[in-house]
Amino acid sequence: MKVSRRNFLGGMTGFAATLWSLRPIALNTPHSRPERDLDCILLDLNSHCALPESLQGYRAALAGEHNHLPETSLNSRHRCRIAIVPGVGRMDPAVAWTLSGLLESGAHVLLESGAGFLSPSEFTVHQEMLYRHFDIAVDRPVDLWPGKSADDAPLTHRPGRRPSEQLDGRESIPYVNYVWPRETKVRDFSRVIPVSAREGDVIGQVGALPVALKRRTAKGTLIFLGSPLGPALRAGDSEALSWLRLVTAL
Amino acid sequence: MKKSIGDNMIPKGWSFEQGLELVKKAGYDGIELWLGDVPWFQMSTSDGAVSELRRKVANAGLVVSNVSTGLHWQTPLSARDPKIRAEAIRIVERQMETAQLLGCDAILVVAGLVTEEIPYHEVYQRCLDAMKQLAPIAARAKVRIGCENCNSEQRFLLTPREFWTFLNDVDSPFVGIHLDVGNIHDTGFAEQWIEMHGPRITRVHLKDVMKKRGRCCDTVYTSLFIGDNNWHAIRAALTKVGYDGWLIAEMEARYRYAQDQQFYDTAAAMDRLISGRL
């Protein structure tokens, strides 16, 4: 195949631009020093946050004990003890790289899925993103409540499934049972995201269905929630608040 | 006080114009328009078509008392799905837009639904968020949002004190209560709600209720003066708080036959209530 100089240069420019946009901004390089050390980052994914009320819940619960950071402000020079990402829908690859970098540097990263009410195509993107960047496999949302919910009435296209035998055959299971960092029951969010990973410990279940896990990385810990905690925090759920306090105190 | 009745009471198969004629003949001063409940007034109805509705109402010698909707039963402001909540907000915004086009200053909103799966404290917070978001829009539109007390059906804001706290939390003169004196059922007494909310009452829905007198000892709605509402006390409370606005008939129990007769009978009962001849 013959490639003209113009085409070659054009292609290389595009390639460089792509590489720049996907730069691994979380990596430590000799030239990038930590911008500042933060204790707790609450990452605001803006339009990629599928559950804004969840973000509000964390903000209210953490009050003055966090640094609210829009995703556009997050860069590789940030360092923190814990980063919380509420209501994850989509995620910019650069942000995912940065979070991976934080994990490598010893931070705890709490990723909360907001995928319960995404459209099928949005959910597929969410699924692929989690697998590619965090090695987490999630399955389609599971409706925990049988029968017709007011929530379901107008939107029948969503990729929800009915509870399976994994829910112990019970018709409705109103709580997520967390076993770490301590045993806690938090009311479910009507749709949960089943989760699995090659490594890691299941820390939350609905019936027999795993919906939360944690995994040690080189130095840090990844915590994944398939049942959003933020709405319960927003509503003042004391158990949810207690669970979050323990996690942020790790 | 002025009399109004919902356009969703117009017998099935009748046109809007026929309905307006009946409402006028029966002696009402205005009509309540139900967004989404009747074929002539849907979310998809254009501004031009809404203005045409106003012209027809005026031609019939009536005015629009308020804009109501039952759409929030299916699309609640308290839904967990943010897409549904956004849709619910859009419904309220459209109510306000059409209220302006129709020349009225009040809308009815069913604020939130507590269900088995969506608990009270979540519903409270979401409704509060929604009303805080909508209040400035209402202020700009000069339209008051009346959150209806649908006590038994909503399982939300069940007592006048809870409702009072909710409105305090919203903290806007443009968000009040659309008080339905028939909805209170077994959880209290309409006259106490009137006294407690006074100037925050945007509109009053009238119907009667037979408490635990249904065939299976359940509570059922009925026509005015047949049920257990204490109409003397309701009339006195309305006078006490200086309510001089719209009374809107919402007859949930419809006549099975001669449905137009219910318009006349209800209007006559409302006249007796307004004049105090009870």
Side-chain angles (χ1 to χ4, degrees):
Chain A
M1 185 178 68
K2 279 193 171 180
V3 179
S4 70
R5 185 169 180 272
R6 171 180 281 190
N7 283 346
F8 174 75
L9 286 176
M12 287 306 288
T13 307
F15 182 55
T18 305
L19 277 181
W20 174 249
S21 70
L22 294 174
R23 66 198 186 283
I25 56 179
L27 296 180
N28 279 318
T29 67
H31 306 294
S32 67
R33 291 169 48 197
E35 187 174 80
R36 54 186 171 142
D37 286 331
L38 302 172
D39 185 56
C40 175
I41 287 177
L42 186 60
L43 188 61
D44 183 350
L45 294 180
N46 299 309
S47 61
H48 294 156
C49 174
L51 289 172
E53 74 166 337
S54 194
L55 174 70
Q56 291 170 7
Y58 282 96
R59 288 188 75 170
L62 295 168
E65 300 163 16
H66 72 281
N67 297 89
H68 178 244
L69 212 61
E71 66 172 347
T72 48
S73 302
L74 184 68
N75 64 52
S76 61
R77 288 170 295 167
H78 279 118
R79 288 289 171 265
C80 66
R81 196 174 52 75
I82 182 164
I84 299 172
V85 196
V88 176
R90 300 181 73 143
M91 187 179 281
D92 189 286
V95 173
W97 275 107
T98 305
L99 292 173
S100 301
L102 288 175
L103 280 168
E104 292 301 316
S105 67
H108 305 300
V109 173
L110 190 160
L111 282 185
E112 180 198 77
S113 173
F117 296 103
L118 295 179
S119 69
S121 59
E122 290 168 331
F123 181 78
T124 302
V125 173
H126 177 84
Q127 199 173 31
E128 288 171 358
M129 178 275 295
L130 287 174
Y131 189 73
R132 182 182 308 140
H133 295 289
F134 301 102
D135 199 21
I136 289 173
V138 295
D139 207 346
R140 289 181 303 147
V142 173
D143 281 326
L144 298 183
W145 294 88
K148 191 176 180 184
S149 153
D151 264 13
D152 290 328
L155 296 174
T156 52
H157 65 275
R158 290 188 312 233
R161 294 185 292 147
R162 288 290 156 204
S164 66
E165 58 282 357
Q166 285 178 289
L167 299 182
D168 295 339
R170 283 184 279 172
E171 283 200 336
S172 61
I173 310 213
Y175 297 108
V176 177
N177 295 301
Y178 291 97
V179 293
W180 178 91
R182 73 159 195 200
E183 289 193 3
T184 309
K185 283 183 188 293
V186 177
R187 210 174 207 281
D188 73 84
F189 196 66
S190 77
R191 289 177 157 216
V192 292
I193 310 295
V195 60
S196 64
R198 280 178 297 193
E199 294 173 20
D201 305 316
V202 171
I203 59 165
Q205 289 182 280
V206 176
L209 196 69
V211 296
L213 64 78
K214 76 173 168 71
R215 190 177 68 228
R216 288 289 301 174
T217 59
K219 292 180 185 171
T221 307
L222 174 66
I223 302 161
F224 176 82
L225 303 185
S227 171
L229 196 74
L233 294 169
R234 180 93 175 111
D237 185 305
S238 58
E239 286 289 287
L241 185 60
S242 163
W243 187 92
L244 181 66
R245 291 217 174 283
L246 287 172
V247 169
T248 53
L250 287 173
Chain B
M1 286 181 279
K2 292 171 286 187
K3 303 196 298 287
S4 176
I5 191 165
D7 65 346
N8 56 356
M9 284 283 295
I10 294 172
K12 213 172 181 180
W14 286 39
S15 69
F16 185 53
E17 292 84 345
Q18 284 175 299
L20 290 172
E21 196 182 337
L22 170 62
V23 170
K24 182 63 182 174
K25 266 190 189 170
Y28 294 92
D29 307 295
I31 187 160
E32 172 184 48
L33 297 190
W34 282 81
L35 179 66
D37 281 21
V38 286
W40 46 81
F41 190 32
Q42 295 288 316
M43 282 295 285
S44 56
T45 304
S46 68
D47 287 358
V50 172
S51 298
E52 180 63 12
L53 291 178
R54 181 181 182 176
R55 191 187 60 76
K56 288 176 180 174
V57 171
N59 284 349
L62 298 165
V63 296
V64 177
S65 60
N66 61 307
V67 173
S68 294
T69 187
L71 292 173
H72 288 118
W73 292 106
Q74 286 297 310
T75 311
L77 290 161
S78 55
R80 280 179 157 159
D81 186 336
K83 293 189 188 94
I84 297 179
R85 289 206 301 279
E87 202 180 325
I89 291 275
R90 179 64 202 129
I91 292 167
V92 183
E93 288 172 345
R94 185 60 184 156
Q95 282 182 274
M96 288 193 271
E97 290 163 8
T98 55
Q100 282 188 305
L101 291 168
L102 293 162
C104 68
D105 64 358
I107 63 170
L108 173 153
V109 169
V110 174
L113 305 179
V114 175
T115 65
E116 192 181 6
E117 61 263 53
I118 308 181
Y120 193 106
H121 56 323
E122 281 185 30
V123 172
Y124 191 95
Q125 190 58 54
R126 289 199 191 102
C127 290
L128 190 57
D129 291 345
M131 287 305 143
K132 279 182 173 291
Q133 180 183 338
L134 289 161
I137 303 170
R140 283 197 296 277
K142 295 187 171 53
V143 171
R144 293 179 80 194
I145 300 172
C147 300
E148 190 181 19
N149 59 311
C150 301
N151 309 43
S152 291
E153 292 87 351
Q154 281 178 294
R155 306 169 198 89
F156 182 51
L157 305 177
L158 291 165
T159 69
R161 177 80 185 182
E162 283 172 78
F163 219 114
W164 189 76
T165 303
F166 176 74
L167 294 178
N168 284 348
D169 287 348
V170 175
D171 193 22
S172 165
F174 285 90
V175 180
I177 177 172
H178 182 118
L179 184 67
D180 189 317
V181 299
N183 276 352
I184 294 160
H185 295 203
D186 307 313
T187 59
F189 302 91
E191 56 274 19
Q192 295 177 21
W193 283 70
I194 295 168
E195 286 186 21
M196 185 170 264
H197 291 291
R200 279 175 161 167
I201 299 172
T202 57
R203 296 288 188 266
V204 173
H205 261 166
L206 293 185
K207 60 174 170 267
D208 216 333
V209 60
M210 291 199 286
K211 297 179 182 179
K212 297 182 179 173
R213 288 205 277 140
R215 295 195 69 163
C216 303
C217 295
D218 49 356
T219 295
V220 291
Y221 295 121
T222 186
S223 295
L224 300 184
F225 304 159
I226 292 175
D228 292 322
N229 271 346
N230 183 339
W231 292 102
H232 276 296
I234 288 171
R235 178 71 178 78
L238 289 170
T239 304
K240 180 186 170 187
V241 302
Y243 183 81
D244 194 30
W246 287 96
L247 299 178
I248 304 154
E250 189 188 38
M251 314 314 296
E252 307 241 358
R254 308 280 176 92
Y255 285 13
R256 286 181 65 194
Y257 307 101
Q259 290 191 330
D260 55 324
Q261 186 60 41
Q262 192 168 19
F263 284 69
Y264 293 97
D265 295 346
T266 303
M270 291 170 78
D271 283 336
R272 296 288 294 264
L273 175 69
I274 291 169
S275 64
R277 289 179 294 122
L278 295 170

